[in-house]
Amino acid sequence: MLHFTIRRLILSVPTLLFISLVIFLLLDLAPGDPMASIPLTVPPEVKEKMREALGLGEPVHIRFLNWLYQFFVVEPQVAFDHIFGTDFSEGKQRIISFQSRSPVMSVVAERMPQTLWVVGLSYVFATLIAVPIGIFSAYRQYSWFDQLGTFISMVGFSIPTFFSGVLLIVVFSVILGWFPSIYDTTHTITDWGSFWFQVKQMAMPVFVLTLYNAAQVSRFMRASMLDNLNQDYVRTARAKGLSERVVVLVHVLRNSMIPVVTVIALGVPNIFGGAIITEQVFQVNGLGQMLISAIYASDAPMVQTLTFIFAVLIVLFNLIADILYGILDPRIRYD
């Protein structure tokens, strides 16, 4: 397993370099000018100097190599300096956002807590709810619980999040007035009253994302459990006199989790990417909303850095899923 992990990590390097090149070229060829937001009263020569200051006057390959150096060398040094109080990154140019004129990774670090609070918490809830529902629905196939779970899962997976989000705002914010319709990112928790307000403003976006993610995971869990419940090893375990709890929760569940692990692991990068549509609906000032704003403003460094971070997370959690396969099923060997 160790050799497989090292081999996959080495192979991921050219993969990520190719992905970063594709992202960079697509953004470079895309229409839009970061100077478009500059007032028309600014003289052309001043605009040209601003373009040079942002590095837009350099050739394409120079700009790409500079971005690689800043992302893989300078930004890790900045993080190291922040943690240990050193000065390795002092005086070095960081990745600068065209829109905010501030370091991209600093803006990402500011927005990350909001995304983790809303999107991350909803994914944890979805997983904790979906796995037991999928197990029990498969074990009690065609029961009223299975029928109800299937109906809710189909509804949750079929209705887009922008519709369910707007529907919740109309019902629970506009008509009933129970929850705030806009997420207040400046809110700080100082007492029980502020904590309760934080819970209330998180309730609707978390519910929307939990319903959508739980619907997907529960259907995979149910299908995988049904596929394993009819296998020969299950009949053998029951013939040996093992209790039904041990058969289902030890033998069947362990084998059934293999395809579900893929769904859960590949969904984790979405936590950091943020639910773009849901963040827009509820005005959550997270990474998803920041990505949309950067696209509108032709902020290439911000868009490139965010999309590349998502690509790194996808490659990483693909590797984690493969490692978990070997843990769940001892028959799977990579070495």
Side-chain angles (χ1 to χ4, degrees), residues 41-76:
T41 55
V42 177
E45 58 271 14
V46 176
K47 287 186 178 181
E48 190 61 32
K49 290 182 179 179
M50 294 174 66
R51 293 179 65 87
E52 293 178 0
L54 293 174
L56 297 175
E58 299 287 343
V60 175
H61 66 282
I62 298 297
R63 285 189 282 124
F64 177 66
L65 292 177
N66 286 338
W67 181 86
L68 285 179
Y69 175 77
Q70 292 167 355
F71 186 88
F72 288 103
V73 178
V74 178
E75 294 299 341

Side-chain angles (χ1 to χ4, degrees), residues 113-325:
Q114 303 297 336
T115 295
L116 291 178
W117 266 111
V118 177
V119 186
L121 195 62
S122 67
Y123 201 75
V124 172
F125 286 162
T127 304
L128 295 177
I129 293 171
V131 171
I133 289 177
I135 294 171
F136 195 76
S137 295
Y139 187 71
R140 299 293 186 184
Q141 188 181 14
Y142 303 132
S143 64
W144 68 267
F145 183 88
D146 184 29
Q147 299 288 348
L148 180 61
T150 300
F151 174 75
I152 295 176
S153 297
M154 291 301 176
V155 170
F157 194 70
S158 301
I159 298 178
T161 53
F162 66 84
F163 179 80
S164 57
V166 172
L167 182 63
L168 289 180
I169 290 175
V170 171
V171 175
F172 293 102
S173 294
V174 177
I175 298 177
L176 299 177
W178 291 354
F179 303 105
S181 60
I182 297 178
Y183 191 93
D184 183 9
T185 55
T186 62
H187 178 70
T188 56
I189 300 176
T190 57
D191 51 21
W192 281 108
S194 59
F195 174 77
W196 179 243
F197 179 80
Q198 178 69 18
V199 172
K200 288 172 63 176
Q201 73 171 354
M202 288 177 57
M204 289 196 296
V206 168
F207 177 80
V208 168
L209 294 174
T210 299
L211 178 63
Y212 181 79
N213 292 321
Q216 182 183 18
V217 175
S218 65
R219 299 315 296 167
F220 273 93
M221 189 74 248
R222 179 183 181 276
S224 183
M225 285 287 295
L226 287 175
D227 185 57
N228 281 276
L229 281 170
N230 297 320
Q231 297 295 322
D232 291 338
Y233 74 88
V234 178
R235 287 191 290 269
T236 302
R238 286 170 174 162
K240 288 181 177 180
L242 296 178
S243 65
E244 196 68 12
R245 180 186 298 270
V246 173
V247 172
V248 175
L249 298 182
V250 177
H251 297 279
V252 178
L253 178 59
R254 185 169 183 174
N255 290 311
S256 301
M257 284 298 296
I258 295 176
V260 179
V261 161
T262 304
V263 179
I264 296 176
L266 294 184
V268 173
N270 294 329
I271 297 174
F272 298 91
I276 297 175
I277 297 176
T278 306
E279 286 189 357
Q280 286 290 104
V281 171
F282 293 99
Q283 296 298 304
V284 179
N285 203 18
L287 295 180
Q289 190 183 58
M290 183 172 64
L291 178 60
I292 293 295
S293 301
I295 293 173
Y296 285 154
S298 299
D299 190 352
M302 180 69 74
V303 177
Q304 182 177 355
T305 302
L306 285 175
T307 50
F308 185 68
I309 290 174
F310 303 156
V312 172
L313 292 172
I314 291 173
V315 172
L316 175 63
F317 280 96
N318 260 310
L319 174 60
I320 293 175
D322 288 340
I323 294 174
L324 289 177
Y325 292 160

